[in-house]
């Protein structure tokens, strides 16, 4: 359980997320994930990283129950910093990152996937940001890398999900396969990348990042500033408490 890394000896390092029951990652887990991805990229025996998950879904975002069970703002700050670190690690990893998305990919999962190099998904995969229903803001930066601008705004305001086939139509998902074929599909595209000269692919990853039209690090931290504002106003706690069913009354909107 937690974050594990394995290498196949042929240039592919697989980082697996396993936080039952729904892969809602605790604060420390986001930092551990960042470390695992960055360390894999620094290893010159690694030519490509696969990021995958065990269980019902790829990612359910931050562990809101952990946040609400913690006094003060420490857990909130750690979760925000941890997410920023993990999202950045996928983007800054020295080699391409292939994500294999099974089931649901929501909240923080969008930050991981939106910063990845290649996305493969199971045919039951759905993607979305329920942030506005949880009293938070964030990862519009990354959702905008998956869907066109007006679709991003619609999904963000409504907290609706979009399926993998739609993202394939938009060109952000490379392939959609039955769930039992997902790992094989990820290994196939990862193998094609791993077979290239890693010296060239590493420079290609750096070059592509440098010509990116969006500064994903700065724009995401800007979004998080509005999350902190909502927390200071007490709005976020109302929605998180409602989510974890603490029984605390919710003020009028």
């Amino acid at each position: 359980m937690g974050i594990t890394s394995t290498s196949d000896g042929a240039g592919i390092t697989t980082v697996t997320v396993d936080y039952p029951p729904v892969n809602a990652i605790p604060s420390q887990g986001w930092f551990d994930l960042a470390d695992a991805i960055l360390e894999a990229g620094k290893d010159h025996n690694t030519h490509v990283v696969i990021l995958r998950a065990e269980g019902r879904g790829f990612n359910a975002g931050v562990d809101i129950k952990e946040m609400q069970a913690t006094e003060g703002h420490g857990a909130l700050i750690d979760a925000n910093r941890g997410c920023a670190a993990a999202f950045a690690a996928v983007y800054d990893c020295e080699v391409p990152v292939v994500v294999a998305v099974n089931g649901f990919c929501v909240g923080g999962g969008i930050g991981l996937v939106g910063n990845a190099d290649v996305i493969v998904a199971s045919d039951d995969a759905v993607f979305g940001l329920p942030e506005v229903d949880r009293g938070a803001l964030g990862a519009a930066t990354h959702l905008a890398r998956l869907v066109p601008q007006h679709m991003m705004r619609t999904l963000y305001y409504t907290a609706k999900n979009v399926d993998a086939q739609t993202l394939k139509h938009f060109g952000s998902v490379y392939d959609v396969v039955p769930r039992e074929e997902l790992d094989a599909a990820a290994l196939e595209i990862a193998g094609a990348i791993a077979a290239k000269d890693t010296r060239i692919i590493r420079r290609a990853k750096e070059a592509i990042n440098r010509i990116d039209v969006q500064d994903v690090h700065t724009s995401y931290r800007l979004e998080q500033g509005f999350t902190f504002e909502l927390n200071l106003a007490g709005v976020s706690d109302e929605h998180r408490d409602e989510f974890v069913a603490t029984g605390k009354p919710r003020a009028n909107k």
Side-chain angles (χ1 to χ4, degrees), residues 45-76:
N45 292 316
T46 296
H47 295 186
V48 62
V49 171
I50 294 175
L51 175 59
R52 62 178 299 279
E54 288 290 337
R56 291 161 51 188
F58 176 75
N59 191 279
V62 302
D63 187 346
I64 294 178
K65 292 182 179 178
E66 174 196 51
M67 194 178 298
Q68 294 311 94
T70 305
E71 292 294 329
H73 298 297
L76 171 68

Side-chain angles (χ1 to χ4, degrees), residues 64-93:
I64 294 178
K65 292 182 179 178
E66 174 196 51
M67 194 178 298
Q68 294 311 94
T70 305
E71 292 294 329
H73 298 297
L76 171 68
I77 293 170
D78 288 345
N80 277 268
R81 285 193 171 275
C83 282
F87 301 170
V90 173
Y91 190 82
D92 293 332
C93 182

Side-chain angles (χ1 to χ4, degrees), residues 11 13 20 25 30 33 49 58-59 83 85 137 147 159 164 180 186-187 196 209 223 234:
T13 294
I25 303 180
W30 290 102
L33 179 56
V49 171
F58 176 75
N59 191 279
C83 282
L137 299 174
V147 300
E180 62 270 19
L187 282 168
K196 306 297 183 183
N209 281 3
E223 288 186 75

Side-chain angles (χ1 to χ4, degrees), residues 26-224:
S27 299
Q28 184 58 47
W30 290 102
F31 291 106
D32 293 342
L33 179 56
D35 289 343
I37 292 170
L38 290 176
E39 285 302 314
K42 290 175 183 176
D43 182 353
H44 282 264
N45 292 316
T46 296
H47 295 186
V48 62
V49 171
I50 294 175
L51 175 59
R52 62 178 299 279
E54 288 290 337
R56 291 161 51 188
F58 176 75
N59 191 279
V62 302
D63 187 346
I64 294 178
K65 292 182 179 178
E66 174 196 51
M67 194 178 298
Q68 294 311 94
T70 305
E71 292 294 329
H73 298 297
L76 171 68
I77 293 170
D78 288 345
N80 277 268
R81 285 193 171 275
C83 282
F87 301 170
V90 173
Y91 190 82
D92 293 332
C93 182
E94 295 180 28
V95 299
V97 176
V98 176
V99 291
V101 180
N102 60 300
F104 46 82
C105 175
V106 296
I110 296 294
L112 299 171
V113 170
N115 271 359
D117 296 282
V118 182
I119 306 166
V120 293
S122 60
D123 54 13
D124 63 347
V126 294
F127 303 75
L129 286 177
E131 314 307 271
V132 297
D133 289 340
R134 305 288 182 263
L137 299 174
T141 292
H142 311 94
L143 185 60
R145 299 167 71 83
L146 301 175
V147 300
Q149 176 69 207
H150 285 86
M151 177 63 77
M152 181 275 287
R153 288 171 179 259
T154 301
L155 294 174
Y156 199 80
Y157 298 149
T158 63
K160 289 182 179 295
N161 292 333
V162 62
D163 61 31
Q165 289 289 358
T166 300
L167 293 191
K168 185 178 181 183
H169 169 75
F170 288 136
S172 49
V173 166
Y174 171 71
D175 200 7
V176 180
V177 299
R179 185 181 284 217
E180 62 270 19
E181 299 175 16
L182 180 60
D183 285 334
L187 282 168
E188 181 179 5
I189 186 63
I193 297 170
K196 306 297 183 183
D197 186 330
T198 189
R199 296 170 298 179
I200 298 173
I201 295 298
R202 286 169 179 267
R203 296 293 75 76
K205 172 75 182 270
E206 183 179 5
I208 290 171
N209 281 3
R210 284 180 178 268
I211 64 169
D212 206 332
V213 296
Q214 186 178 34
D215 180 350
V216 296
H217 305 321
T218 301
S219 60
Y220 178 58
R221 289 299 282 171
L222 187 151
E223 288 186 75
Q224 286 187 320

